[in-house]
Amino acid sequence: MSTVLVVEDEFDVQQIVADVLRDEGHQVFVCGTGREALQHLSEFRPDVVLMDVMLPIFSGLQVLDVMRKTPGLDAIPVILMSETEPRHVQARWQFFLKKPFRLEHLLDAITRVMGPVSLT
Amino acid sequence: MSNAETRGAGDTEAHEGRVTSGIPRLDFILQGGLKQGGTYALMGPPGSGKTILANQFCFNHIARDDGRCVYMTLLIESHGKMLRHLEQLSFFRMESVPEKVYYISGYQKVRDEGFAGLLELIRATLRERRATIFVIDGMESAEQFASSRQAYGEFIHSLQALMSLLGCTTLLLSNVRERTHVEHTLVDGVLELSDQLIGPRAVRELTVHKFRGSNYLRGRHEVEISSAGIVVHPRTEVQFAHPVSSGQEMRHRMAFGLPRLDEMLGGGLPSGSTTALLGAPGTGKTLLGLSFLVEGARRGEKGMYFGFYEPPPRLIEKAEAVGLPLGRYVREGGITLVWQPPLEHFMDALAEQLLEPLRLEGSKGLRRLFVDGAEGFRAAAVYQERMPRFLSALTNQLRSLDVTTVMTDELELFQPQLNLPTAELANVVESVVLLRYVEMRSQIRRLLSIMKMRESRYDTSLREFRISQDGIDVADSFRSAESILSGMSRMRDDARDPDDTERGGASAARSKKARAAKKTTKKKDARPKPTRGSGGSRRGPRGSRGDGGGP
């Protein structure tokens, strides 16, 4: 079982993504702002971060920037979610999901970044 | 009176301390735009265009003022869907997202932490993003978390204070609310978008209910949503509510290029005046109007045709068939043809299409205008009661631009009385020219007369108006005995058939014979039979001589 931090401000997207990941057998933590995300990351290290770009207060890119500069957080894989693909920083995340995305795209991104989940 | 009031909506200027929306003519209605740091409520039912207007405001702001916008949603469609829809609109620039336009949701925060948490989220985000425009879309969702009206009022009050401090102009979007809603009493301005069915037509309108510290154009203004986004059309009569007292008209004479008609008019129509050209279908209104434009172009005066029924190629063909070189002047740029297919239009949008090119051209531009016909405006009017004020404002504006206008209005084919379809036209035009059919010896002929010419001498005689492949022409005086303006006539005993001259008097004998046979005919037989749509009083002058009275 992997731990996933979902950082998403849109409540419905946050809940649906979290439910799908739980169905897949992952342990899921959620938060809605960039500031909360940094707080979570200072307390525990998830196996993967699924992060929106446009977040209240600090953007997903700002959080990613902090992660990449912080030993221990710099290696955590990040799946970015956004309506538009951020430019100039492609090398800093592992996968990009263009919103609005479908369920199979989300599952494909998780599988690619974390590998298939064993339910046994 | 501000300069803007006399110039019209196309000339909006940025005012100090204002944030222009960049939405066509909205800034004119708001007399310069929204106030920087002000908080404004934008209400309207779903589908009225609130989200489009707010986004358009944001994207125009970053393009014009290099600002930064934060767009917060509260339990409405997801950002992904919203942007997908906005992508279809020309103002939208995906490359500006998220750097310049930043979409976030505040729903979870207000749900979990109430208004205090939401305010903290807004404050921190706006400072971090250095936002100059802030939008909250879905205010009714926030209100659901208020423990009381007072608590909600306090939130709005705090939000307003914060925005004023940050100098961030704010739009609060919500579904329709009563005018006395607590939100509306606290904010700096209230704008409403409506979407309703009026008869079979779906009509969107914008109303500014309140705008602190500034004048604004009151009442409803038509709104269209196109691929360009929201377009607002201020009511023409409000837009030009303060016409300049002294126009620019030079009072030159603008000829038709038909010697006898120009002679009747004392050289032509006075420049800057508006003339109603009345007549039943087929009497030659369009050709006479085109002759006016062609003569102008020949003299180096630019003209515009603004019509509803005949597309340009057909119009050119029609003119060329009677020897009017319309095509040549169109190609040379002396005449512009603007065709509005007779579909659903908005009256004010039509007026804008008419006036804005004239204003842009300036004093060296268009001098002559031919509107074919007034019923196009009438058909576009959602509220018919606006027509008198609309036409008055339109003609005043044309007068102030020294544009000489000829506007047709169609009479019924069988109508003994002179009932103007657009009755308001009679009050706003300086001149009235009438074209009618007349029966002569089993022949239909056309008759031209000048019914009215304000502050000018004119020839009141009746003339035959001829259309042939050799051209259009106004003939000598058409002498008839009685009821000539009812469309029924007969030759006077001492009169000659105009055609007799052409035929070398061949018909004179026949005419004499016919007159002798008719001697026993009673006068009442010459009276017109009642026809369809002939209600109302008889307005036209009777008898064989025009007396110059208006319809």
Side-chain angles (χ1 to χ4, degrees):
Chain A
M1 184 174 67
S2 304
T3 55
V4 183
L5 174 62
V6 176
V7 190
E8 170 60 69
D9 60 321
E10 286 191 86
F11 182 69
D12 48 352
V13 178
Q14 182 195 90
Q15 293 305 301
I16 290 163
V17 168
D19 289 345
V20 166
L21 292 172
R22 287 188 187 107
D23 289 347
E24 292 295 306
H26 302 292
Q27 188 181 14
V28 182
F29 297 88
V30 294
C31 64
T33 73
R35 188 186 277 173
E36 288 169 1
L38 289 172
Q39 204 171 333
H40 274 281
L41 289 165
S42 68
E43 292 167 3
F44 81 104
R45 289 179 189 175
D47 297 311
V48 66
V49 177
L50 194 63
M51 187 156 57
D52 184 25
V53 170
M54 290 188 280
L55 294 166
I57 308 173
F58 301 128
S59 74
L61 295 178
Q62 286 174 290
V63 175
L64 182 65
D65 195 47
V66 171
M67 285 176 71
R68 292 299 176 247
K69 290 174 182 172
T70 306
L73 298 179
D74 54 348
I76 297 173
V78 173
I79 299 170
L80 276 185
M81 306 179 287
S82 182
E83 291 78 9
T84 174
E85 187 166 346
R87 295 174 293 278
H88 316 304
V89 280
Q90 282 85 342
R92 296 154 70 192
W93 69 80
Q94 277 59 44
F95 204 87
F96 174 74
L97 270 175
K98 192 174 190 305
K99 285 183 173 183
F101 49 78
R102 297 172 70 118
L103 178 61
E104 55 265 33
H105 299 145
L106 172 65
L107 295 177
D108 179 55
I110 295 288
T111 305
R112 287 192 193 200
V113 172
M114 301 170 59
V117 178
S118 169
L119 297 174
T120 55
Chain B
M1 180 178 69
S2 72
N3 288 338
E5 285 171 323
T6 60
R7 284 199 318 269
D11 310 302
T12 308
E13 289 177 348
H15 289 57
E16 199 180 340
R18 299 283 187 121
V19 180
T20 55
S21 70
I23 294 167
R25 301 170 200 87
L26 176 58
D27 299 319
F28 179 78
I29 289 170
L30 301 175
Q31 302 288 282
L34 300 175
K35 293 200 166 185
Q36 191 176 7
T39 300
Y40 299 91
L42 173 61
M43 61 174 181
S48 57
K50 301 186 299 295
T51 298
I52 291 175
L53 189 148
N55 275 283
Q56 199 171 343
F57 183 31
C58 289
F59 281 89
N60 288 344
H61 176 64
I62 62 166
R64 293 159 68 112
D65 306 323
D66 197 32
R68 293 168 72 95
C69 309
V70 171
Y71 196 107
M72 177 185 276
T73 59
L74 295 168
L75 209 62
I76 59 158
E77 65 183 336
S78 71
H79 300 158
K81 271 190 178 178
M82 185 195 291
L83 299 191
R84 186 68 62 83
H85 296 150
L86 291 170
E87 267 184 315
Q88 315 302 315
L89 303 170
S90 61
F91 65 79
F92 183 78
R93 296 278 180 275
M94 189 56 102
E95 62 270 21
S96 300
V97 181
E99 284 83 3
K100 296 288 182 70
V101 187
Y102 195 76
Y103 294 86
I104 58 170
S105 171
Y107 179 73
Q108 194 181 358
K109 191 57 85 171
V110 71
R111 192 196 64 159
D112 296 346
E113 299 176 30
F115 291 135
L118 183 62
L119 273 171
E120 167 57 20
L121 182 88
I122 291 167
R123 187 194 59 77
T125 305
L126 296 188
R127 290 199 67 191
E128 184 64 35
R129 306 302 309 174
R130 290 177 284 117
T132 46
I133 298 284
F134 178 50
V135 177
I136 303 182
D137 195 344
M139 283 299 287
E140 60 280 355
S141 302
E143 194 178 5
Q144 288 171 7
F145 294 103
S147 55
S148 64
R149 277 173 62 93
Q150 187 182 348
Y152 186 69
E154 284 170 2
F155 163 66
I156 298 292
H157 189 73
S158 303
L159 182 69
Q160 204 171 3
L162 174 64
M163 294 306 138
S164 182
L165 193 68
L166 296 174
C168 187
T169 308
T170 302
L171 281 176
L172 307 177
L173 278 55
S174 62
N175 288 332
V176 174
R177 294 170 161 182
E178 70 279 10
R179 293 274 305 278
T180 55
H181 191 276
V182 61
E183 191 179 297
H184 299 164
T185 59
L186 293 167
V187 293
D188 298 306
V190 179
L191 286 73
E192 182 184 1
L193 282 169
S194 59
D195 184 10
Q196 56 183 328
L197 287 172
I198 299 176
R201 294 184 68 174
V203 179
R204 286 189 172 99
E205 290 169 323
L206 178 135
T207 310
V208 182
H209 292 295
K210 166 185 171 180
F211 199 81
R212 274 187 192 146
S214 172
N215 199 2
Y216 59 94
L217 297 194
R218 293 170 61 87
R220 295 174 180 173
H221 307 284
E222 291 163 353
V223 169
E224 284 182 287
I225 299 178
S226 67
S227 59
I230 292 265
V231 180
V232 187
H233 305 291
R235 293 200 321 286
T236 306
E237 60 269 33
V238 179
Q239 200 178 142
F240 303 112
H242 304 283
V244 286
S245 52
S246 55
Q248 301 172 21
E249 63 264 44
M250 306 296 290
R251 312 309 281 174
H252 295 145
R253 292 290 175 163
M254 313 292 265
F256 276 84
L258 304 172
R260 289 191 190 88
L261 175 58
D262 292 332
E263 192 182 309
M264 290 168 78
L265 294 165
L269 300 172
S271 67
S273 68
T274 302
T275 299
L277 185 52
L278 311 177
T283 45
K285 299 185 299 298
T286 301
L287 286 175
L288 192 53
L290 291 175
S291 176
F292 178 70
L293 292 182
V294 167
E295 176 62 12
R298 195 182 64 77
R299 294 168 178 240
E301 297 161 355
K302 282 189 175 179
M304 182 201 277
Y305 167 90
F306 191 88
F308 298 91
Y309 303 103
E310 295 183 89
R314 194 173 156 196
L315 206 63
I316 291 169
E317 194 180 304
K318 183 176 181 170
E320 306 273 345
V322 295
L324 287 171
L326 178 65
R328 189 183 102 202
Y329 289 117
V330 169
R331 285 190 297 275
E332 289 175 1
I335 296 173
T336 308
L337 302 180
V338 180
W339 175 55
Q340 305 290 336
L343 306 169
E344 258 191 20
H345 295 292
F346 286 103
M347 195 162 71
D348 300 304
L350 290 173
E352 283 158 17
Q353 286 185 55
L354 193 59
L355 292 171
E356 286 188 0
L358 297 174
R359 279 202 300 263
L360 289 171
E361 289 273 351
S363 57
K364 292 178 183 174
L366 291 157
R367 300 267 49 87
R368 296 178 179 225
L369 172 67
F370 174 40
V371 179
D372 193 21
E375 62 271 21
F377 290 111
R378 201 172 52 248
V382 175
Y383 308 102
Q384 290 295 326
E385 64 270 25
R386 284 187 51 202
M387 278 301 285
R389 295 187 300 275
F390 169 83
L391 284 172
S392 178
L394 183 67
T395 52
N396 274 335
Q397 198 58 21
L398 292 167
R399 192 174 299 118
S400 72
L401 293 164
D402 196 30
V403 173
T404 313
T405 306
V406 172
M407 192 181 294
T408 67
D409 204 8
E410 195 142 284
L411 301 174
E412 283 187 39
L413 196 55
F414 305 106
Q415 182 183 354
Q417 289 85 5
L418 281 180
N419 293 327
L420 272 177
T422 312
E424 305 83 8
L425 206 56
N427 304 320
V428 297
V429 297
E430 284 91 341
S431 311
V432 178
V433 176
L434 177 68
L435 290 168
R436 301 203 73 184
Y437 289 116
V438 62
E439 291 174 38
M440 279 293 298
R441 294 207 183 90
S442 306
Q443 291 271 310
I444 296 292
R445 300 202 184 165
R446 295 176 179 90
L447 185 73
L448 180 144
S449 55
I450 301 164
M451 307 293 292
K452 166 186 171 181
M453 206 169 167
R454 203 176 283 162
E455 297 164 21
S456 185
R457 291 177 66 84
Y458 62 97
D459 188 338
T460 60
S461 64
L462 307 165
R463 309 289 182 108
E464 186 176 6
F465 179 58
R466 293 172 178 170
I467 303 172
S468 71
Q469 58 188 16
D470 299 325
I472 58 175
D473 185 31
V474 176
D476 286 333
S477 188
F478 195 103
R479 293 182 290 176
S480 88
E482 57 190 28
S483 306
I484 192 100
L485 287 178
S486 71
M488 310 276 288
S489 72
R490 57 188 176 85
M491 295 297 291
R492 264 175 24 184
D493 287 348
D494 61 344
R496 292 192 62 181
D497 184 341
D499 284 350
D500 282 359
T501 317
E502 295 165 29
R503 292 193 295 259
S507 63
R510 284 198 305 275
S511 301
K512 199 171 179 182
K513 216 178 227 181
R515 282 198 298 274
K518 282 186 179 178
K519 268 188 175 179
T520 52
T521 308
K522 290 179 182 176
K523 254 189 182 178
K524 68 178 178 182
D525 295 338
R527 278 192 221 135
K529 289 176 184 174
T531 55
R532 186 176 53 80
S534 63
S537 61
R538 191 180 193 91
R539 294 191 189 188
R542 300 184 62 183
S544 60
R545 288 171 52 232
D547 59 5

